[in-house]
Amino acid sequence: MTFTRDFDETSRGMDELKIVLFVCNWGPHAALQTLQDQDRDIPHQVRMIRIPCTGRISKTLLFKAFERGADGVALIGCTPGTCRYGAGTYTAERNVEGARGILDLLGLGKDRLRLATFLPEEASPLLDFLNDFTDQVRGMGKSPVTPVPLKQPAHDGRRNTAEVLKAHDVYACQDCGKCSSACPMALSGRPYSPRAIANSIIAGSGNTPAVVNDVWSCLTCGICYDRCPSAVDFPAFIREMRCVQKASGKSGHEAHEGFFQSLMRAMTSPDLRTQHWKCLPEGIRTDQQSKTLFFGGCAPYFDEFFRRHLDVHTSDILADSLRLLNFFDVTPALLPGERCCGHDLLWSGDRENFLRLARLNVEAIEKMGIEEVVTACPECYRSFARDYPENGVPVNFRVTHIFDLAEKEIDKGAVGFEALDRSLTFQDPCRLSRMEGRADLPRKLIDRLRVKGFREMQDRGVSALCCGNCAWTGCDGYTKALQVKRLRQARATGSDLLVTACPKCQIHLRCAMEDPLLGKEIGMDLMDLTSVIARTIRWE
Ligand code: SF4
Ligand code: SF4
Ligand code: SF4
């Protein structure tokens, strides 16, 4: 089920509240029917969507209602124990709890989303609920989320296919096959060839379902670019082809039903005041007058979204980064209402909304008089340092990866590390190691740690295997096979701690470890390098 229609603004005033009810077909629908038959006064702000079972309405679908302009959403199901499908109401409780957490971080307020259950004969209690909920949402006011058009505008400075082919030197391909023989998608068993995709698009077959599927399956990991003797920038070519395809209504599979793309689009609303800094642990020093800003990224949303499914705590990267900055006597400012950097929108073909986020971020940061932005996320780093300026959003401040800052500070001396009784291996994030050419940087830092040992995986540095997903597109059995392969490489080093440097590497690899058959064989502890440094560093 998708939820893509905007509210009809012609039949309702722009300022009218919009409340969506997802109503289970069984118990509560009968109650609602009774209200309609009795001509009872149902609040006119309510728009009902009939559903087969509350358990079918995922966190993503709940959130998409807000993305498309809802001010309040209620999931109305059957009283526990009466669900026709058994666990529907319990699943709904979990999904609503997760989505409420996201709404809270986003600054919308978790009470805009409610779950309620009714028996068929409970028409009056249902009406009371609808009136209460409408009053509650009215008290909270209109949602600050402004729905953006899902369809890309006709003229957004986008290149056409011929221009994209030319811009990335695709015609220079010598058909040597080095890209295909190095591509991790091909090596994970999928019939996949970057040069064949390029050749098909050159030959005018870019719109066939097979080629579209291939364009959206690329991990944009960049190994092919690294190996190509003609310097065909395939990841950049794919990124632009996705924009071209999206504009003509074609796109690939978005992981988690497109939840993260929805979240990012919602963040383009100028009036949004996100709250994800609210939960910082005690003892962290920040200073809003500082000329240095720490940009955290979306890690808190990942924690909230995956909390019940994966044991990931990517918010720790933010808290540990700030602790590390404080250790070096840097007391940074934080961006109130910080938004996503937009990396995944750009890399999943939505340049228009990426640009909205970029402009909002840069404008807000420059208003604070910031001279330097520090980030621990390789995707935020790349977006600010490279993709914003290259896409026409100039950045008038320095962009620094926290590893660079840490390495410089540690190099001054007087700093040591507490011993850590773990053997480490390292997963390179492609945006930092391969694309920015900084594979040396995390290794310099790892060399400084006092650990039991450090052993590299078979594929490492610029040749490292991707964690198996990028921009929340194309997650499937082949990407899972790639993750399993990577985790086997990690285990083969004999290490007991897999250190990463990107929140998403942690998420995707942890997800693969959930495999009920392979879990024991490929499972291992995961930690971000920033956290390892922050938790062991000390003054000598
Ligand atoms: S970017 Fe990575 S996944 Fe995509 S074609 Fe190149 S090597 Fe394969
Ligand atoms: S490595 Fe470069 S030149 Fe060789 S086939 Fe691939 S894209 Fe063409
Ligand atoms: S690997 Fe797991 S976490 Fe990553 S996109 Fe796929 S399902 Fe989601």
Side-chain angles (χ1 to χ4, degrees):
M1 181 189 300
T2 53
F3 189 95
T4 53
R5 261 186 306 155
D6 288 328
F7 287 90
D8 181 3
E9 297 293 359
T10 53
S11 60
R12 299 157 182 261
M14 287 288 282
D15 295 329
E16 184 69 272
L17 284 183
K18 297 163 182 114
I19 295 178
V20 173
L21 283 194
F22 289 106
V23 181
C24 169
N25 201 26
W26 300 94
H29 188 260
L32 196 74
Q33 197 93 60
T34 307
L35 292 179
Q36 285 166 341
D37 292 347
Q38 294 172 352
D39 212 13
R40 305 277 289 274
D41 210 3
I42 300 172
H44 66 278
Q45 294 90 346
V46 165
R47 173 178 144 178
M48 197 251 310
I49 299 174
R50 199 166 154 177
I51 55 168
C53 173
T54 50
R56 301 275 290 275
I57 304 300
S58 62
K59 286 188 286 240
T60 304
L61 284 172
L62 291 168
F63 187 75
K64 276 183 190 279
F66 288 101
E67 188 215 335
R68 302 315 307 151
D71 300 298
V73 175
L75 184 56
I76 313 283
C78 297
T79 301
T82 64
C83 170
R84 296 293 192 285
Y85 304 104
T89 312
Y90 302 111
T91 307
E93 276 169 11
R94 284 204 303 277
N95 288 337
V96 167
E97 188 198 322
R100 277 167 61 92
I102 302 276
L103 296 180
D104 213 26
L105 290 173
L106 214 47
L108 262 66
K110 59 179 182 223
D111 291 334
R112 288 187 188 274
L113 173 63
R114 297 263 301 266
L115 171 69
T117 57
F118 299 94
L119 292 167
E121 58 272 28
E122 291 181 320
S124 291
L126 172 60
L127 185 58
D128 291 345
F129 168 82
L130 294 178
N131 283 321
D132 282 357
F133 186 51
T134 307
D135 287 348
Q136 185 181 16
V137 175
R138 189 181 295 115
M140 298 175 79
K142 298 259 323 145
S143 160
V145 173
T146 321
V148 290
L150 290 174
K151 210 166 177 321
Q152 299 289 292
H155 302 290
D156 65 348
R158 192 183 334 113
R159 295 170 166 131
N160 61 32
T161 302
E163 289 164 338
V164 175
L165 283 163
K166 203 167 159 208
H168 301 290
D169 251 348
V170 183
Y171 292 114
C173 171
Q174 305 166 34
D175 221 10
C176 69
K178 288 190 193 316
C179 51
S180 308
S181 58
C183 171
M185 290 304 289
L187 296 177
S188 71
R190 179 196 280 270
Y192 199 80
S193 163
R195 67 176 167 148
I197 299 169
N199 283 338
S200 299
I201 295 172
I202 289 172
S205 311
N207 284 333
T208 60
V211 177
V212 171
N213 188 40
D214 283 349
V215 164
W216 288 87
S217 297
C218 171
L219 301 163
T220 68
C221 69
I223 293 191
C224 50
Y225 181 34
D226 186 67
R227 302 293 156 83
C228 177
S230 303
V232 174
D233 190 348
F234 199 74
F237 168 63
I238 285 289
R239 190 184 66 211
E240 287 210 58
M241 279 312 297
R242 288 179 180 174
C243 291
V244 171
Q245 293 189 346
K246 197 137 197 169
S248 60
K250 297 183 186 68
S251 69
H253 165 72
E254 292 177 343
H256 305 286
E257 301 170 290
F259 173 81
F260 292 102
Q261 281 85 357
S262 271
L263 180 71
M264 288 175 251
R265 281 194 297 267
M267 286 200 211
T268 62
S269 308
D271 294 335
L272 199 70
R273 300 286 174 268
T274 62
Q275 299 291 320
H276 68 246
W277 290 117
K278 223 172 49 181
C279 312
L280 274 186
E282 281 184 16
I284 285 173
R285 287 178 283 120
T286 60
D287 171 11
Q288 290 308 92
Q289 305 310 315
S290 173
K291 298 287 172 212
T292 300
L293 179 119
F294 178 70
F295 190 89
C298 289
Y301 301 92
F302 302 153
D303 274 13
E304 194 61 50
F305 189 84
F306 291 109
R307 178 170 292 157
R308 285 191 170 266
H309 173 49
L310 305 175
D311 187 24
V312 285
H313 303 277
T314 47
S315 299
D316 289 355
I317 305 171
L318 273 54
D320 287 327
S321 300
L322 288 165
R323 282 193 193 103
L324 191 58
L325 291 176
N326 286 174
F327 177 86
F328 296 126
D329 229 6
V330 179
T331 312
L334 300 176
L335 183 57
E338 183 192 287
R339 294 168 162 79
C340 170
C341 68
H343 173 278
D344 293 345
L345 285 179
L346 181 67
W347 290 84
S348 58
D350 189 351
R351 184 170 175 269
E352 181 68 16
N353 285 310
F354 161 77
L355 287 175
R356 279 178 221 238
L357 285 173
R359 289 189 198 109
L360 285 164
N361 280 327
V362 170
E363 198 179 294
I365 292 170
E366 291 187 348
K367 223 183 242 171
M368 291 171 74
I370 296 298
E371 292 168 1
E372 179 177 31
V373 169
V374 179
T375 179
C377 172
E379 294 184 346
C380 296
Y381 175 73
R382 182 190 158 104
S383 300
F384 274 99
R386 185 180 296 269
D387 294 329
Y388 283 13
E390 282 182 6
N391 283 279
V393 183
V395 163
N396 296 312
F397 41 78
R398 280 194 311 287
V399 185
T400 305
H401 192 282
I402 198 163
F403 291 170
D404 255 325
L405 186 146
E407 175 56 25
K408 270 192 203 115
E409 291 295 325
I410 296 168
D411 207 40
K412 289 178 186 165
V415 168
F417 290 89
E418 284 163 23
L420 182 67
D421 193 24
R422 308 294 298 261
S423 307
L424 273 49
T425 189
F426 183 66
Q427 164 69 21
D428 289 273
C430 51
R431 266 44 183 167
L432 188 68
S433 295
R434 198 161 23 242
M435 291 196 170
E436 293 299 318
R438 307 304 309 278
D440 61 318
L441 189 54
R443 288 172 174 79
K444 277 189 195 164
L445 288 161
I446 290 171
D447 275 351
R448 294 180 180 277
L449 299 171
R450 284 176 57 215
V451 291
K452 228 162 63 181
F454 172 60
R455 282 192 61 195
E456 294 276 15
M457 284 188 259
Q458 185 188 328
D459 298 303
R460 56 182 174 263
V462 292
S463 300
L465 285 185
C466 171
C467 72
N469 198 281
C470 184
W472 306 104
T473 61
C475 177
D476 62 15
Y478 292 107
T479 59
K480 198 60 65 191
L482 174 58
Q483 288 154 356
V484 169
K485 180 173 176 184
R486 189 56 167 163
L487 288 166
R488 284 194 169 126
Q489 288 189 346
R491 286 285 296 260
T493 63
S495 309
D496 57 17
L497 181 62
L498 174 53
V499 178
T500 65
C502 171
K504 290 185 195 152
C505 289
Q506 269 200 54
I507 291 166
H508 301 313
L509 294 174
R510 172 79 68 201
C511 181
M513 291 180 203
E514 293 294 303
D515 185 304
L517 299 176
L518 295 173
K520 279 211 175 85
E521 189 193 322
I522 56 177
M524 66 193 289
D525 281 351
L526 274 167
M527 213 169 155
D528 194 274
L529 180 56
T530 307
S531 296
V532 179
I533 298 169
R535 292 175 194 196
T536 55
I537 199 163
R538 60 157 198 234
W539 292 111
E540 286 283 303

